[in-house]
Amino acid sequence: KTTPEIDMDLTDLAKRLGATTLFSRLPREQLLALLAQSPRRQAAAGSVLSDTAHGLKNHLVLLSGELEAQRTWTEADGSQNTFAWPVAVRADGPGFALLSAAGSHIRVQALTDSDYLSIDGDALDELLGWSELDGNATLARNLKVFHKVPIENVQQAFARMVERPVVAGETIVTQDEPGDSYFIILSGEAEVWVTDPMTDETAMVAVLSDSDAFGEEALLLGGSRSATVRMHTPGRLLVLSKSDFDELLKPNMVEEVNAEQARALLSEGRVKLIDCRYDMEFEESRIPGAQWVPLSTIRQHGVFKIDPEATYIVYCRSGRRSNAAAFLLRERGIRALSLTGGIKDWPYEVDNSAL
């Protein structure tokens, strides 16, 4: 059974656990958060906490009582062998005993009434992976774009980034010029300016600051910059080349579905639909049920119109703009997929009625 509240000093436990090899790489605040979300459980004497069929997938922090862990394996001749060892909280010890998640073929049984915390092994692995980024760990965690990227890719991306000092008033990218880099702001503020091609009017549409990123749209679309980004203050940027972006980030951030897959997901009610084209395109024709959130507004304020808990399929005319839109949404922590071929290759019903 699960105890509703943890009636123990987590700060003290985090301090003591932080001295162990397993948890020593985690910052104290992360370890505290991990412990706070780890359920505290009680096991009666004789009860089985894990069996050999399912194994031990979570780390157990024994707070009181005594357990027996048992590992079973197969020898070269096919015979079965077993090794058992006790896990107990000693009166002269640190006040806990740690049994780390060891995977399959582990059986754990309570020898006495016991009290323990169950720490998600996958969650700890992820935190430990981020910790390997050293000085870039906090920055990488703040950038949601990296949360779907394998840790090894994130490590390589940061290793290949070049730090660039910038001054107030410096133009970093210019609208309509080819895109060749992806930028992360380490410090400072930048203004995003867009010139309307119809009216030739220029307006500031966003302000970017520490840990914000820009430059991905042109790389994903394979075209020119959609805005001018100019530094408002001095600062520092990290710059990743297009070739490194394409190799390390793009494949993991733009997930595509074809029309048949999209229709099935929509019919099952598992996803919502976003049309990221221009207003005149949307008014002319659209896939039924689509919400209009143009690509140009997603970076600015369009994301606030979107349910952050839902999964979206994004489409445009051909699939190029929706790739960029899906990437931007994922940067903001929203699960999004791009429709391959866009509305151009959509073989099902299309709404042509005037809005």
Side-chain angles (χ1 to χ4, degrees), residues 226-278:
S226 60
T228 294
V229 179
R230 185 178 300 118
M231 295 304 300
H232 179 64
T233 68
R236 294 177 301 132
L237 306 178
L238 286 177
V239 186
L240 185 68
S241 71
K242 181 183 186 303
S243 59
D244 290 334
F245 177 90
D246 288 346
E247 176 189 349
L248 300 171
L249 300 186
K250 182 179 178 180
N252 302 284
M253 286 306 303
V254 182
E255 186 178 351
E256 296 181 314
V257 291
N258 61 34
E260 184 179 359
Q261 293 168 326
R263 188 189 191 197
L265 291 170
L266 288 165
S267 65
E268 295 167 4
R270 296 168 57 188
V271 298
K272 297 181 179 181
L273 199 60
I274 285 178
D275 187 317
C276 71
R277 298 174 298 161
Y278 292 115

Side-chain angles (χ1 to χ4, degrees), residues 106-228:
I106 296 290
R107 184 177 188 273
V108 180
Q109 184 174 17
L111 299 180
T112 66
D113 290 349
S114 301
D115 190 16
Y116 65 97
L117 285 181
S118 179
I119 298 178
D120 188 309
D122 291 337
L124 179 59
D125 284 349
E126 182 176 356
L127 290 174
L128 290 174
W130 287 111
S131 72
E132 295 300 319
L133 294 170
D134 297 322
N136 294 314
T138 300
L139 176 61
R141 284 192 299 270
N142 288 340
L143 284 162
K144 293 180 180 177
V145 65
F146 288 128
H147 291 192
K148 302 295 183 181
V149 177
I151 290 295
E152 58 271 21
N153 286 38
V154 178
Q155 292 172 328
Q156 289 187 58
F158 275 104
R160 299 184 194 182
M161 287 178 188
V162 177
E163 186 171 331
R164 170 179 163 183
V166 289
V167 299
E170 182 176 348
T171 298
I172 309 304
V173 300
T174 302
Q175 186 172 342
D176 296 329
E177 289 186 348
D180 60 0
S181 300
Y182 177 64
F183 301 88
I184 298 172
I185 299 177
L186 284 177
S187 64
E189 287 189 353
E191 299 171 342
V192 182
W193 293 83
V194 174
T195 300
D196 189 316
M198 304 295 292
T199 65
D200 208 31
E201 294 181 356
T202 301
M204 187 176 70
V205 298
V207 175
L208 308 177
S209 58
D210 297 7
S211 296
D212 283 332
F214 62 93
E216 68 288 309
E217 292 176 45
L219 303 187
L220 290 165
L221 292 170
S224 56
R225 298 294 188 189
S226 60
T228 294

